Amino acid sequence: ERFKKFFNDKGVNAFKFRVGSECGRGKDEWEGRTEEIVKTINHSLDKSITKMVDANSCYSPAQAIEVGKLLEDNNVVHFEEPCPYWKPDQTKLVTDALKIDVTGGEQDCDLRIWKDMVKRKIVNIFQPDVMYMGGLTKALKVAKIIEKGGFICTPHTANLSLVTVCTMHFLKAIDNAGPYLEFSIEGEDYYPWQQNLFLNDPFNLEDGKVTIKDLPGWGVEINPNWLDNAEYKVSEIE
Amino acid sequence: ERFKKFFNDKGVNAFKFRVGSECGRGKDEWEGRTEEIVKTINHSLDKSITKMVDANSCYSPAQAIEVGKLLEDNNVVHFEEPCPYWKPDQTKLVTDALKIDVTGGEQDCDLRIWKDMVKRKIVNIFQPDVMYMGGLTKALKVAKIIEKGGFICTPHTANLSLVTVCTMHFLKAIDNAGPYLEFSIEGEDYYPWQQNLFLNDPFNLEDGKVTIKDLPGWGVEINPNWLDNAEYKVSEIE
């Protein structure tokens, strides 16, 4: 229902949802509901909507391939992190077995790992996180590695903080940007801390698109009230 | 002179010294002194003493090979981290070009990187750091990976804190332990914070060897005076 509302009100035409539980060793995020949720979303949403799924390092290769077939049958085109991210050989089995895109890379920041993942074609779409990467400079290097491998780059951005702001600029700066900006729709219940973080809302959606501002810096101003209410860590000498 | 004293007084029969400056892009730790220091140490120390060198990710492959030949000519048997650790292909060139042992691994904690380094024989001796690895459990996994590759494991321990205590136990627990425990001889000027850290000195050297205690835990007791004088970090809500 939230997906429908975003489609109708904001023109968003691609949605991602969660199946596996985080590093869940095969456990569903909502026990026994993976098949039901995949089928229901396929039937309920407009045919023009792109459907994506995130498994959060949950499955064994055999399980992931089984889930992947279900996704194929239900018009899901993007299967994110099907197997434990630290076991790329498992992910590779899934990528090779499925027709839909298997994706991943949010966890990785070491350029050696990135080169290896791209060279061995571990996934079809690569998803660096500009913050986990340690910033734009290194993230741009990774985008180049991905581009040289002939792949597109659809960055990981888990919430509406600076990670999404910086990634908007990042996507504009690279030549192999994927078609979507990951844009969290979780509200105050899930991410209470992100409420009113910025003064001028950088995330206003029109026709399913954000506008990248050309204001100084990242084009955002942190809300001073947010800062006043924040928890601070200080160092003291006793 | 410090090496001579430790040899005569404590029976230590292996020493390591620094040549390259940390990530120094070719710059000597002591400008223009690498050749002099290597030759002087070779001439000054007893022939029975094992000589080792650490280059701290300093050199290009060509430079490292040149320094390595100098080391070979001066009876140095261990050449640590000759090239930037994040460029294993460079290190591999040095390993293949030299007869003496090239060593490394202190910087790495990802098991994927470890498997790759061992498989490609990037160095001859592998040097995980039990703390940088994230603890004994993961370090023991790495020791197994190294053992399966047919290599020995000479852990990295930069100072006389718990890292050296834990590594003493670690070396006793693995089947492919190298012949030496890295044992810092830097004093109060270099590591002021490590003075009087433990109540019962766990690092007493007799005949060049430490004794691994069978006391509970790690066999050490942190000095309460040290803790009283330590800098504490606290979190506060304003």
Side-chain angles (χ1 to χ4, degrees), chain B residues 164-234:
Chain B
T164 298
V165 175
C166 298
T167 299
M168 284 154 55
H169 290 266
F170 174 76
L171 281 169
K172 185 126 183 169
I174 64 177
D175 293 324
N176 57 330
Y180 305 110
L181 168 71
E182 180 172 1
F183 191 89
S184 171
I185 62 167
E186 297 300 343
E188 193 162 359
D189 53 333
Y190 201 87
Y191 287 135
W193 57 266
Q194 74 180 22
Q195 302 305 307
N196 304 312
L197 174 55
F198 301 111
L199 276 189
N200 48 347
D201 179 12
F203 303 126
N204 187 35
L205 289 173
E206 280 182 32
D207 197 22
K209 300 190 174 78
V210 288
T211 302
I212 301 172
K213 304 228 171 67
D214 60 358
L215 294 171
W218 294 110
V220 292
E221 208 172 325
I222 311 287
N223 185 342
N225 288 332
W226 190 96
L227 293 175
D228 287 345
N229 291 309
E231 180 179 328
Y232 285 82
K233 294 202 172 189
V234 292

Side-chain angles (χ1 to χ4, degrees), chain B residues 130-143:
Chain B
V130 298
M131 295 298 175
Y132 300 166
M133 278 303 306
L136 263 279
T137 306
K138 230 174 136 195
L140 287 169
K141 282 186 188 174
V142 163

Side-chain angles (χ1 to χ4, degrees), chain A residues 8-20:
Chain A
N8 292 326
D9 295 359
K10 310 272 186 170
V12 175
N13 63 358
F15 294 98
K16 187 164 80 178
F17 55 102
R18 184 174 273 210
V19 289

